[in-house]
Every structure is written in C-alpha cells, then in structure tokens.
Amino acid sequence: MNTGDILRKNLDNLGKENFKRFRVKLREEGSIPWNALEDADVSDTVDKMMQVFVEEAVPKAIQILESINVRDVAQEMSREWNPDCFKSEEPNLEIDRLIIDDQEDVTLWTHVTLQRFETLPDFTTNQIQALQKETGECEEATPENSGSVSVRQFLDSRGRCSNLRRLCEALKRVSRQDVVDVMHSQKTLLPKLGPKEKEEVKINDLKFSVWHPLTVALSVEREDGHDWRWLADKLGIPATYRDLWRQNCSNPAEKVLDSWKNKIGEATVGTLFNHMISMEREDLADIL
C-alpha cells in the first residue's frame, strides 16, 4: 500500500467530525492555507498533504491524529506505514507506558515517538552522568558498564523515576535539544513536558521567531475569552490599559508582554508556558 492509499483509507475512517478536526489542526500547522482545506474532501486533503509534505505526509498525519486524540486510527496508520515495528509474539505491545509523577500511569509514548527516538544519536557516558546529576534520579536505572545508551533505552529505563519537565530541562542543559523536540512531537504530553525553550529564558530575550507568532495568535479574540485579555487580567494589568490597547493596537498581546517582561524573576518562558496551559491554550504553549 502506497502513501496516498494509506492516507485515504485511514482518513476515510475518521467520520465527519473528526475529519473536520483533522483539517483544522492541519491548518494550524501553517503549511496549507485554510481556503484549501475548509471544503476539502479526503482525496483533496490527501493530495494537498502529498504536495506539501511528500514522504513525510503519513508521519505528519499520524502526529495530527495523536494530537486530536484519535489514537486508534493513528496506530492503524502507523502499523500500515511501518509494519515491522509491530511484529511481536505479545499482542499488547502496541504502546509503551511511561510512568511519571508519583508512579501514576498518566500518559503513553506512541510507537511513532519511539521510532523517532531510535533515529537519534545515543547518549554518551558524560551526558548520562550529567542527566543523573541534573535530575537527581536513581542511577541504577542506567545499565552498568555502557559507553553509550540509546535514547529509547534511556527513557524506558528511567520512566519510573522521571519527572518529565525536569528531564526536559536537563536535556537542554546537556545540548540534547533533539531529544526534547521529539518528545514534544507527542502533543498530548505537552503539559507534562514544559516549553521547548529553556524555562529560565526571560520574555525579553525571546527570539522573534517565537515572539511574533505567539503574540499574533494570542491577540485573536475568542468567544471564551482565552486570549490576550485573559493573560492581561492574570498579570494584573489595569482595565484602562486593556481598553486602550484593544481600540488602538493590532497586536495587543505584544503590549501585554511588553508591560510584563521587565518583571525580574517572574517574566520567564516557564511562567508564560504555565499561564498558557492554565488558559487551556496548548496551541500557544506549543510555540514556546
């Protein structure tokens, strides 16, 4: 079965509502404009994805399906895309469980994420030692006498003693942003992972490539109020300023962050990420 067939078969199985959610999420990725997706049927959507993503069209579809919690279709698509990864004598190995935060089983690594872990360079001994020191986790989780350890093996072996957000920060400090990026590709884990940027980075030092899309998206007012107005209220910005910015600014979220970013010790990426999660705007938290 070729790429187009895999996409058509599985997207046909989504149903009307989930297919619409899929197209909306695909639009949010920014590679295909909404006017090309709004009234698109399955064939049209597949054609657009093939044109834009080429050989990455199926992995992109799987990622989107995971992010909208249609995991049964995502797993079936993964099986058809790379069936060798699902060969096993045991019937229950479709997913690997990751246990975090007081041993509670709260989330899952999907096979797509695990496959991506396997493409990354191994951890060196020095990196492993640094991660142990940074996280304060149990050393016995790492195999003895190993010069290097695969990313998948390391994460699997430390699942029961890892706080994911602390682990992500430690990975950034040992220059393994590649691992952090793959972890963040599993969108359902986002609240547990924290931002992709280092948490202590000051808002004043955000890169334009992060600042601009974040403030533009945050400035779009929503019916539920989960936008720049919510953040302004959370940060204690007076209503008079909010009214003025709403009338005169095309990007009021920029004004909100500008007024907050000089608060020493408070205006950091980590704090802003927490606010976005509290506001139920994981789409904005994901930009960070």
Side-chain angles (χ1 to χ4, degrees):
M1 194 179 299
N2 63 35
T3 298
D5 290 338
I6 292 172
L7 289 168
R8 288 186 187 90
K9 174 191 170 186
N10 287 280
L11 295 185
D12 268 334
N13 291 334
L14 285 181
K16 183 177 179 180
E17 185 61 32
N18 280 336
F19 181 55
K20 180 178 179 180
R21 292 172 62 214
F22 179 90
R23 299 197 321 274
V24 169
K25 195 67 177 178
L26 180 60
R27 183 272 307 271
E28 292 175 0
E29 296 283 330
S31 300
I32 303 176
W34 182 237
N35 60 12
L37 292 170
E38 185 174 11
D39 298 318
D41 59 16
V42 169
S43 292
D44 292 336
T45 302
V46 170
D47 288 344
K48 291 294 182 184
M49 293 185 70
M50 295 285 288
Q51 291 171 15
V52 173
F53 302 112
V54 197
E55 70 273 10
E56 293 296 316
V58 170
K60 175 61 68 175
I62 293 169
Q63 177 185 329
I64 292 172
L65 289 168
E66 291 170 356
S67 73
I68 62 173
N69 293 318
V70 188
R71 291 181 178 172
D72 55 341
V73 179
Q75 289 175 9
E76 181 61 24
M77 192 177 291
S78 297
R79 190 189 303 277
E80 293 173 353
W81 178 243
N82 197 347
D84 289 342
C85 292
F86 290 83
K87 291 179 180 178
S88 172
E89 296 178 358
E90 298 292 334
N92 294 321
L93 294 182
E94 292 186 358
I95 47 180
D96 286 348
R97 296 188 177 276
L98 178 67
I99 308 224
I100 59 176
D101 293 346
D102 300 325
Q103 312 303 310
E104 182 183 4
D105 185 4
V106 296
T107 191
L108 302 169
W109 290 124
T110 67
H111 271 294
V112 174
T113 305
L114 292 171
Q115 286 176 253
R116 291 172 179 160
F117 286 152
E118 290 173 351
T119 68
L120 302 177
D122 291 349
F123 287 112
T124 66
T125 301
N126 288 340
Q127 287 174 336
I128 293 169
Q129 291 173 348
L131 288 170
Q132 289 172 342
K133 182 177 180 180
E134 288 277 354
T135 60
E137 294 172 354
C138 44
E139 294 186 9
E140 62 271 16
T142 303
E144 296 180 0
N145 302 319
S146 58
S148 62
V149 176
S150 73
V151 172
R152 175 172 178 166
Q153 180 184 4
F154 181 82
L155 291 177
D156 279 349
S157 67
R158 300 180 72 80
R160 291 184 179 275
C161 56
S162 291
N163 176 296
L164 280 182
R165 191 156 176 173
R166 181 188 296 178
L167 178 59
C168 278
E169 283 304 292
L171 286 165
K172 296 168 198 173
R173 294 191 184 99
V174 298
S175 302
R176 289 309 303 262
Q177 186 67 39
D178 57 338
V179 181
V180 175
D181 290 341
V182 171
M183 293 168 76
H184 276 80
S185 70
Q186 191 165 319
K187 303 303 183 184
T188 53
L189 281 176
L190 182 63
K192 295 289 183 182
L193 295 173
K196 292 185 285 287
E197 299 283 334
K198 290 182 178 179
E199 299 216 20
E200 67 270 18
V201 170
K202 298 176 182 178
I203 296 301
N204 197 38
D205 295 328
L206 269 180
K207 295 176 289 190
F208 179 78
S209 60
V210 175
W211 175 277
H212 182 67
L214 175 69
T215 56
V216 169
L218 185 57
S219 290
V220 177
E221 295 188 0
R222 296 163 37 125
E223 290 184 5
D224 60 10
H226 292 181
D227 49 51
W228 71 274
R229 297 166 296 174
W230 185 99
L231 183 61
D233 183 64
K234 183 73 174 179
L235 298 178
I237 294 174
T240 51
Y241 286 102
R242 301 202 300 266
D243 292 342
L244 182 64
W245 295 337
R246 190 178 190 188
Q247 294 173 16
N248 300 320
C249 300
S250 60
N251 189 342
E254 193 165 52
K255 294 293 187 181
V256 173
L257 294 185
D258 275 336
S259 69
W260 178 55
K261 66 185 182 182
N262 293 320
K263 291 191 175 181
I264 299 174
E266 178 184 332
T268 64
V269 166
T271 303
L272 182 57
F273 178 90
N274 292 340
H275 287 323
M276 296 299 100
I277 294 297
S278 296
M279 190 168 54
E280 299 178 346
R281 291 298 303 272
E282 292 188 12
D283 59 318
L284 301 181
D286 192 38
I287 296 175
L288 296 166

